[in-house]
Amino acid sequence: MANTTITEIEWKSVKGFEGQYMVSNTGLIKSLKGKTERIMKPRRKKTTHTDGTITLCYEELVLCNKGVRTSKLVHRLWQKHLLRILKTNLRLII
């Protein structure tokens, strides 16, 4: 039988990009810019080694704030989001 557990998606603003981008507890990044909200598609960061080989590394997104483009790693945004949730939950328990 299939797993019937339903996970509710929680969205929080990305720190430093409030009102422009949101991150979910499932690792999705959503852009609030433009006419409609959209889930952003990350790209794989490439690393070139000294011997000329190319390795695909972490997923990254380019976020824009007041005309300044900033590259952010998806797993770091997700990690910060989860830490904020944990800190909030711990305050409620204590």
Side-chain angles (χ1 to χ4, degrees), residues 4-81:
T4 58
T5 305
I6 298 173
T7 304
E8 187 175 324
I9 298 178
E10 294 180 32
W11 293 96
K12 297 275 186 180
S13 292
V14 175
K15 191 172 183 181
F17 298 91
E18 290 83 2
Q20 299 175 54
Y21 300 98
M22 297 184 90
V23 61
S24 75
N25 57 340
T26 59
L28 298 173
I29 311 294
K30 176 169 53 173
S31 173
L32 305 177
K33 293 182 170 186
K35 295 179 183 177
T36 59
E37 299 176 354
R38 67 180 182 91
I39 303 296
M40 298 180 71
K41 183 179 176 184
R43 65 177 185 180
R44 287 284 189 160
K45 187 172 184 166
K46 295 179 183 178
T47 303
T48 306
H49 302 282
T50 54
D51 62 356
T53 59
I54 297 175
T55 305
L56 294 176
C57 298
Y58 299 112
E59 292 182 337
E60 69 177 343
L61 290 168
V62 176
L63 305 181
C64 188
N65 188 13
K66 298 177 184 172
V68 178
R69 296 167 53 97
T70 308
S71 178
K72 296 286 186 180
L73 297 174
V74 173
H75 73 278
R76 295 280 179 132
L77 293 171
W78 183 67
Q79 177 188 26
K80 289 178 183 178
H81 170 70

